[in-house]
Amino acid sequence: MSLAEPAALPRATSAAPRLHVLKRFTAGFTASLPAYLLLLPSLVFLALFTYGAMGRVLIDALYQRTTPKAPVRFIGLDNVSAVLADPAFTGVNNLIYAVGTAIPSIGLALLFALALSRTSAVTSALRAALFLPVLIPMVAASALFLFIFLPNVGLLDSYIGRLLPVLPNWLGDPDIALSAIMVITIWKNAGYHMLFFLAGLQAVPEDVMEAAHLDGAGPFQRLRYIILPELKPTFLFVTVIATLNAVTQVDHVFVLTQGGPSNSTNLVLFYIYQQAVEHYDVGKASAATLLTLAALMGLTALSFRTLADRESGP
Amino acid sequence: MLFPRRLMLGLAIAGTLAGALAFPALAGEGPTEIDLFFPVPVDGKLARDMGTLMKEFNETHPEVKATAVYTGSYDDTLIKTRAAIKAGKPPSAVIMSANFLLDMQIENELTNLDPLIAADGTTKEKFLGQFFPALQGNAVINRSVYGVPFHNSTPLLYINADQAKEAGLDPNKPPQTWAELTEWAKKLTKREGDKVMRWGIAIPCAYDYCGWMMETLTMSNGGRYYNEEFGGEVYYDTPSMLGALTWWNDLIFKHKVHAPGATPGPAVSTSFISGNAAMMMLSTGSLTYVRDNAKFSYKVAFIPRNVRNAVPIGGASLIIPPGLEADKQKAAWTLIKWMTSPEKSGWWSRATGYFAPNMAAYKTPDMVDFLNKNPDAKTAVEQLDVAKPWFATYKTVPVRKNLEDEVMLVLNGKKQPKDALTAAQKAADETLKPYNAETSLKLP
């Protein structure tokens, strides 16, 4: 997820321009022609690279190709049910991963933002330090952690090793591997989320805070009754970003565990990749893609509605 | 003053333009440009050595310009090659893990090399005769040649000789059987109270390596792992594999001489180099890395047996994907023959630690010299006498992962060997089902 994307999201929700175009379309095609012509280039590219691909996935999901010699067979929804029946495709890993990365990283981000909300030379330096992990590409960060997690001789073990009798095999134990992956994600995303909270804190009205001060509200009361309610839209937005990240980021899984050991770190996106390139099963990969897309779209629609409600509210 | 300068500038631009216009015409007669995909599956500086090799080839073959493209692990190289074939831009040659050839042949992703061999005026038997017999099983499918062995390996037992001596063991008489190895591992494990300071033995288990080690242990326990003649069968739920996995499990949980959990290859070699593991089972391909980095004296030995001495081969063959233009195919074949010639084969072997598949390489003066100086490099070649082909089935990678996922559960103490192998067999049978439906179970 790039830095530029979130800024564009809230704007896209307003439904007014589309209605407007529709009205003009009924009024006269000629009048709207230039608009369509102007839209044409982006429509062509959208059709080619977004909707075309999605349509292709939809079609592929309905067919089965077992071996190169066997003909491609129409099997309807069998691929979808096969994916749902596959123990490797449990949403459970993703759910644990999403919840286990979103909540701690948002909590940490809020803590950092509250602590560093005033601008001074020291806080600027600290902000930069906390933001640093965001600037490291996920693959590079994972490669770093590969050495940190190395059993017996890694950075982590050489410190913790003095305390424990048998050292945990961080990436080789199915009970720990997912948590290890989650730690990297939290480390990497907390600084990114902090940025949104810092922005959100700027929007907390100064006069309300002053009034609370005069009324004798303590720091905790100010946090509980003024700052947190004012940050609600930021919370919603960051939660959406964090959840989407949990589904769309798998670079560290590729580098560190490849879904293993025993599928304990197999996230949905990695599963799709496995089906497509390792098992050579395009049908099943497409079916899994469809399921993931549906879940993502549902999630996005839900969050946009919540955001829109919020915007149109008082 | 200004005028000549402007004139020169104009001339320069005109010259560039003319050059650009003339370039397409020149390109037709220039060297044939070919790509070689190569993986780096083991420790060491293989990528740099590959650069040296390509430079030499291009200098001695002006009609071809070969570029080596690094493509990650063996598994990644398969994926990237398949993607390139699908995209209609196949590489001209690939160093492909030797056990993927069958799967690729089933998927129509290999060029049959028989016509190229015949065009050179030689016979299949004569061509294959250059290579060690153990390597031919993975290169020949349905009596046609599909791959040329390039660098090969067998698993070896590496022993930290200093630590062995310290424990009262003679590193010149390495363990021959599983029983002896278990004894050695027990003596070499160092504890302080409950805390293990040094493990007796380390055996790698990560995707790819894990399956190979399971084949190693199963074969030395008398087993086969897979059907060498037919790509639709694996033998996971068998006594030979059960014995192999149970022994591995015992090393961890009963004898407590092997660290629990699945440890990837690089972590195993790092443990050995840093003295944290006194013995390890690892590919010959890591030999140069160990030789360059070990600050202690070490020994290499055959993989100990329980029933018989037998190991699978590992390593890679050179293949040519289908759908290439004739001139590229010809250039790729020239490159392949050059790379597998005795001199180059020997050079690559010395640089990497893999053994040279071309038997004549061991008669070149450089190689004789090298073996006199590094007698440890001989062990892998001697072990070839008992080597067998590497497992290769329809959908090799998923079928292998069906086993590996279960083995990882056992190594982590989550499952008993018997249950794990039953589950692995069931999963693998399911993966192989479509192929069997079209071959062994397609009845008149």
Side-chain angles (χ1 to χ4, degrees):
Chain A
M1 182 123 314
S2 84
L3 276 175
E5 268 172 82
L9 283 177
R11 288 282 151 255
T13 57
S14 58
R18 204 196 294 165
L19 276 178
H20 195 55
V21 168
L22 208 69
K23 218 188 280 168
R24 275 174 64 177
F25 185 76
T26 46
F29 182 73
T30 42
S32 60
L33 195 62
Y36 277 109
L37 281 177
L38 285 171
L39 279 175
L40 193 66
S42 31
L43 280 178
V44 166
F45 281 105
L46 270 177
L48 273 178
F49 295 107
T50 307
Y51 301 120
M54 277 164 82
R56 183 64 202 266
V57 165
L58 196 69
I59 294 166
D60 280 345
L62 301 174
Y63 287 88
Q64 186 191 41
R65 168 198 168 279
T66 47
T67 67
K69 277 139 202 155
V72 175
R73 219 154 43 89
F74 180 83
I75 54 162
L77 292 177
D78 280 8
N79 274 328
V80 177
S81 49
V83 167
L84 288 175
D86 192 337
F89 185 83
T90 52
V92 179
N93 274 350
N94 256 83
L95 202 68
I96 298 173
Y97 178 75
V99 174
T101 55
I103 292 176
S105 65
I106 291 174
L108 276 178
L110 181 65
L111 207 70
F112 293 158
L114 286 172
L116 305 175
S117 60
R118 268 170 237 270
T119 310
S120 74
V122 179
T123 56
S124 297
L126 282 173
R127 279 183 204 169
L130 289 170
F131 191 70
L132 194 68
V134 183
L135 300 176
I136 304 173
M138 194 56 154
V139 173
S142 309
L144 276 177
F145 272 89
L146 202 60
F147 292 106
I148 294 176
F149 284 138
L150 210 61
N152 287 321
V153 283
L155 198 60
L156 200 55
D157 275 4
S158 71
Y159 287 105
I160 294 186
R162 294 166 201 179
L163 310 169
L164 301 171
V166 173
L167 295 170
N169 190 339
W170 301 102
L171 297 171
D173 184 333
D175 289 340
I176 311 176
L178 189 61
S179 313
I181 297 269
M182 276 163 29
V183 167
I184 302 173
T185 316
I186 295 167
W187 168 79
K188 184 126 173 44
N189 287 349
Y192 182 46
H193 298 155
M194 174 188 75
L195 221 56
F196 295 110
F197 282 116
L198 279 174
L201 283 175
Q202 307 296 316
V204 175
E206 208 52 45
D207 46 350
V208 181
M209 288 292 275
E210 261 169 42
H213 238 308
L214 289 176
D215 286 345
F220 178 74
Q221 281 169 314
R222 267 175 284 160
L223 177 71
R224 170 75 186 78
Y225 296 104
I226 301 173
I227 297 178
L228 288 187
E230 284 291 337
L231 283 179
K232 207 176 151 193
T234 315
F235 263 111
L236 277 172
F237 179 68
V238 172
T239 309
V240 172
I241 296 286
T243 325
L244 287 179
N245 266 352
V247 182
T248 53
Q249 271 187 345
V250 286
D251 315 25
H252 44 349
V253 175
F254 273 85
V255 176
L256 291 171
T257 62
Q258 277 150 14
S262 313
N263 284 323
S264 59
T265 57
N266 200 342
L267 302 178
V268 172
L269 198 58
F270 189 76
Y271 175 86
I272 294 171
Y273 161 84
Q274 257 188 335
Q275 291 303 322
V277 301
E278 269 178 11
H279 291 233
Y280 241 31
D281 195 337
V282 176
K284 234 169 132 186
S286 303
T289 310
L290 277 186
L291 289 172
T292 313
L293 266 183
L296 275 180
M297 279 177 161
L299 202 73
T300 318
L302 196 75
S303 54
F304 275 169
R305 255 185 70 173
T306 331
L307 280 176
D309 283 354
R310 175 81 203 172
E311 262 176 18
S312 57
Chain B
M1 196 58 195
L2 199 75
F3 186 70
R5 199 193 280 171
R6 198 183 278 172
L7 186 71
M8 270 157 75
L9 198 71
L11 279 176
I13 290 170
T16 320
L17 276 174
L21 284 171
F23 183 69
L26 276 173
E29 287 151 27
T32 312
E33 291 192 15
I34 56 171
D35 284 340
L36 167 77
F37 279 13
F38 77 99
V40 175
V42 293
D43 312 296
K45 47 181 176 45
L46 253 65
R48 213 170 61 204
D49 298 329
M50 183 54 79
T52 315
L53 201 64
M54 282 304 112
K55 199 165 158 254
E56 201 189 327
F57 175 78
N58 287 331
E59 275 162 11
T60 49
H61 296 76
E63 76 282 8
V64 183
K65 189 178 178 300
T67 316
V69 182
Y70 168 62
T71 44
S73 68
Y74 278 155
D75 286 9
D76 290 343
T77 300
L78 175 66
I79 289 162
K80 283 173 188 161
T81 306
R82 288 187 151 161
I85 293 173
K86 273 226 167 112
K89 288 196 168 169
S92 302
V94 185
I95 297 178
M96 183 63 69
S97 182
N99 67 332
F100 295 161
L101 264 60
L102 175 66
D103 192 13
M104 294 185 80
Q105 195 269 337
I106 292 174
E107 303 276 354
N108 303 324
E109 291 164 335
L110 288 182
T111 299
N112 187 332
L113 303 177
D114 288 355
L116 291 166
I117 295 170
D120 286 343
T122 175
T123 63
K124 246 186 298 187
E125 291 69 30
K126 230 168 138 187
F127 181 78
L128 281 174
Q130 304 173 74
F131 305 104
F132 286 103
L135 308 175
Q136 296 174 9
N138 284 114
V140 180
I141 302 162
N142 295 338
R143 278 176 290 155
S144 285
V145 181
Y146 282 94
V148 186
F150 173 60
H151 61 204
N152 292 91
S153 57
T154 54
L156 285 178
L157 179 67
Y158 291 74
I159 301 167
N160 185 324
D162 292 355
Q163 292 176 349
K165 270 185 213 142
E166 188 192 295
L169 298 160
D170 182 1
N172 291 318
K173 283 183 200 141
Q176 305 271 322
T177 63
W178 287 8
E180 285 171 28
L181 183 66
T182 312
E183 278 316 303
W184 273 61
K186 279 185 191 164
K187 282 184 186 154
L188 284 166
T189 304
K190 217 159 106 184
R191 294 171 219 274
E192 272 176 23
D194 276 346
K195 200 165 142 60
V196 177
M197 304 305 288
R198 182 175 78 205
W199 293 104
I201 182 153
I203 304 173
C205 179
Y207 292 123
D208 196 12
Y209 232 128
C210 204
W212 198 53
M213 289 327 291
M214 274 311 292
E215 192 184 7
T216 304
L217 297 178
T218 304
M219 281 184 164
S220 35
N221 202 24
R224 283 165 72 195
Y225 190 108
Y226 76 112
N227 184 340
E228 303 86 346
E229 309 295 330
F230 168 62
E233 279 175 358
V234 285
Y235 308 128
Y236 291 167
D237 195 5
T238 54
S240 56
M241 195 176 279
L242 180 62
L245 186 55
T246 308
W247 181 54
W248 198 350
N249 181 58
D250 286 351
L251 288 176
I252 297 174
F253 299 105
K254 195 169 141 200
H255 309 303
K256 298 195 168 55
V257 295
H258 181 300
T263 319
V268 167
S269 53
T270 314
S271 283
F272 183 75
I273 294 290
S274 64
N276 269 314
M279 294 186 285
M280 64 170 178
M281 285 189 191
L282 216 62
S283 163
T284 0
S286 297
L287 189 55
T288 302
Y289 174 75
V290 171
R291 186 183 299 137
D292 291 350
N293 291 284
K295 293 189 181 68
F296 47 82
S297 61
Y298 64 92
K299 281 273 168 214
V300 291
F302 280 18
I303 294 289
R305 66 178 178 273
N306 195 41
V307 172
R308 59 166 179 175
N309 274 110
V311 289
I313 65 143
S317 296
L318 280 154
I319 59 132
I320 302 181
L324 286 170
E325 293 115 32
D327 57 332
K328 286 201 176 190
Q329 198 185 67
K330 208 174 135 232
W333 184 236
T334 310
L335 175 68
I336 288 176
K337 279 187 295 184
W338 184 81
M339 284 171 78
T340 54
S341 65
E343 290 76 29
K344 295 305 140 206
S345 205
W347 182 84
W348 184 252
S349 164
R350 291 190 294 277
T352 60
Y354 283 103
F355 63 79
N358 197 321
M359 289 187 276
Y362 289 92
K363 300 205 176 67
T364 59
D366 283 346
M367 202 66 176
V368 172
D369 245 26
F370 175 79
L371 285 180
N372 283 335
K373 272 184 216 141
N374 300 285
D376 52 352
K378 268 187 217 155
T379 311
V381 183
E382 287 161 4
Q383 199 176 219
L384 268 178
D385 287 343
V386 296
K388 300 191 178 310
W390 193 358
F391 63 86
T393 62
Y394 167 71
K395 288 196 181 174
T396 303
V397 175
V399 169
R400 190 194 72 214
K401 278 196 174 173
N402 289 146
L403 176 69
E404 288 171 326
D405 277 334
E406 295 295 329
V407 171
M408 287 173 184
L409 286 175
V410 172
L411 301 185
N412 278 295
K414 302 253 176 293
K415 226 173 189 177
Q416 285 309 304
K418 176 69 192 160
D419 300 337
L421 291 180
T422 313
Q425 183 72 53
K426 206 175 143 222
D429 287 345
E430 196 58 38
T431 312
L432 292 167
K433 209 168 157 185
Y435 184 63
N436 278 305
E438 267 166 47
T439 51
S440 59
L441 292 174
K442 190 177 182 188
L443 307 171

